[in-house]
């Protein structure tokens, strides 16, 4: 949290310094301000404020950076600030010959493109984050099942049972962590079989344990095959 505040404060100082330098440059360079000048100045401020919002958004969520066509949101934002700076400077330079409508139209299009790309980048980030969280959940699910089998493996003193449990553990470990509705029934049967395995083990029925292990492996093999075919 302290590091984020530090970066936030430094970013705020940089943004303020850049803003002051821009204003110093503009108001020293130009005289005879007209509507075209103020329209261009206003659009530049709007784009710069959006850039600051993007910077704050990135600082607030560094774990899932927004991207648009593989360009990070921060880089994209800098490009648009640069594009608007050049566009507004051109209109300021030709302010006495350019029309207000032309200045509004060109810079409105640029601003709208910026907003659309920001929204697209954020939507892409959210979609990727959602997929990543789903994958992590499935990985935890597989690891949880494997942990249960490994616990039984540690408790077992029978070499034959250990061998069967170890083979089952490896099957679970290397199974595809993804999931979908096509394998829901198979996963339900796997969970039921694993629950029965633990019950049989606790009851000391090692014959049933040795029979259940390859049966569960077969369920995993069927599940992985179905999952691969459904992708």
């Amino acid at each position: 949290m302290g590091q984020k505040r530090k970066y936030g404060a430094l970013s705020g100082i940089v943004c303020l310094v850049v803003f002051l330098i821009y204003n110093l440059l503009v108001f020293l360079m130009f005289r005879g301000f007209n509507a075209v000048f103020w329209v261009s100045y206003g659009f530049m401020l709007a784009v710069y404020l959006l850039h600051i919002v993007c910077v704050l958004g990135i600082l607030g969520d560094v774990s899932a950076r927004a991207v648009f066509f593989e360009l990070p949101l921060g880089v994209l934002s800098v490009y648009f600030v640069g594009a608007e700076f050049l566009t507004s400077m051109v209109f300021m330079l030709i302010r006495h010959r350019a029309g207000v409508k032309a200045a509004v139209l060109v810079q409105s299009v640029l601003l709208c493109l910026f907003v659309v790309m920001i929204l697209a980048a954020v939507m892409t980030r959210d979609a990727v984050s959602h997929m990543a969280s789903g994958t992590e959940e499935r990985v935890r699910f597989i690891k949880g099942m494997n942990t249960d089998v490994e616990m039984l493996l540690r408790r077992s003193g029978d070499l034959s049972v250990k061998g069967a449990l170890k083979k089952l553990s490896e099957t679970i470990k290397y199974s595809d962590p993804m999931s979908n509705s096509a394998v829901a029934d198979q996963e339900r049967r796997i969970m039921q079989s694993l629950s029965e395995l633990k019950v049989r083990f606790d009851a000391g029925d090692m014959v049933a344990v040795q029979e259940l292990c390859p049966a569960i492996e077969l369920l995993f093999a069927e599940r992985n095959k179905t999952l691969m075919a459904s992708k």
Side-chain angles (χ1 to χ4, degrees), residues 65-76 79 117 121:
R65 296 184 185 275
V67 294
F68 182 80
F69 285 106
E70 299 184 357
L71 275 178
L73 182 56
V75 175
L76 187 70
Y79 286 165
M117 289 187 183

Side-chain angles (χ1 to χ4, degrees), residues 8 13 28 43 52-53 66 117 127 141 167-168 170 190 206 224 231:
I13 292 171
L28 285 178
F43 273 104
I52 293 173
V53 170
M117 289 187 183
F141 175 69
K167 192 177 177 185
L168 175 58
E170 290 176 353
I190 287 171
M206 297 305 161
N224 293 338
K231 287 183 178 180

Side-chain angles (χ1 to χ4, degrees), residues 3 10 24 59 101 119 130 139 160 164 172 182 191 208 211:
Q3 197 76 350
L10 290 174
L24 185 64
L59 289 174
K101 289 183 179 179
L119 294 175
H130 179 71
V139 169
S160 298
I172 297 173
M191 291 300 297
E211 291 175 350

Side-chain angles (χ1 to χ4, degrees), residues 23-161:
N23 279 275
L24 185 64
L25 175 67
V26 167
F27 290 105
L28 285 178
M29 281 181 61
F30 299 106
R31 292 289 184 273
F33 308 131
N34 62 4
V36 173
F37 174 88
W38 290 116
V39 164
S40 301
Y41 182 77
F43 273 104
M44 182 63 210
L45 290 187
V47 170
Y48 193 64
L49 286 173
L50 276 176
H51 171 68
I52 293 173
V53 170
C54 291
V55 170
L56 293 175
I58 291 169
L59 289 174
D61 187 11
V62 295
S63 62
R65 296 184 185 275
V67 294
F68 182 80
F69 285 106
E70 299 184 357
L71 275 178
L73 182 56
V75 175
L76 187 70
S77 178
V78 170
Y79 286 165
F80 268 95
V81 170
E84 172 56 32
F85 173 76
L86 292 175
T87 304
S88 65
M89 289 298 287
V90 168
F91 275 108
M92 287 177 182
L93 287 169
I94 61 171
R95 61 191 180 281
H96 296 300
R97 298 189 299 275
V100 175
K101 289 183 179 179
V104 171
L105 178 63
V106 172
Q107 293 177 93
S108 293
V109 170
L110 191 61
L111 180 60
C112 289
L113 283 174
F114 188 21
V115 172
V116 168
M117 289 187 183
I118 288 173
L119 294 175
V122 171
M123 288 171 65
T124 301
R125 180 201 61 188
D126 292 345
V128 170
S129 298
H130 179 71
M131 289 176 63
S133 64
T135 301
E136 288 174 4
E137 185 177 344
R138 296 304 306 174
V139 169
R140 285 196 297 269
F141 175 69
I142 292 291
K143 283 183 177 179
M145 289 191 291
N146 193 38
T147 299
D148 289 341
V149 174
E150 287 181 346
M151 290 295 293
L152 298 181
L153 181 58
R154 292 192 190 99
R155 291 169 54 194
S156 176
D158 189 306
L159 291 178
S160 298
V161 174

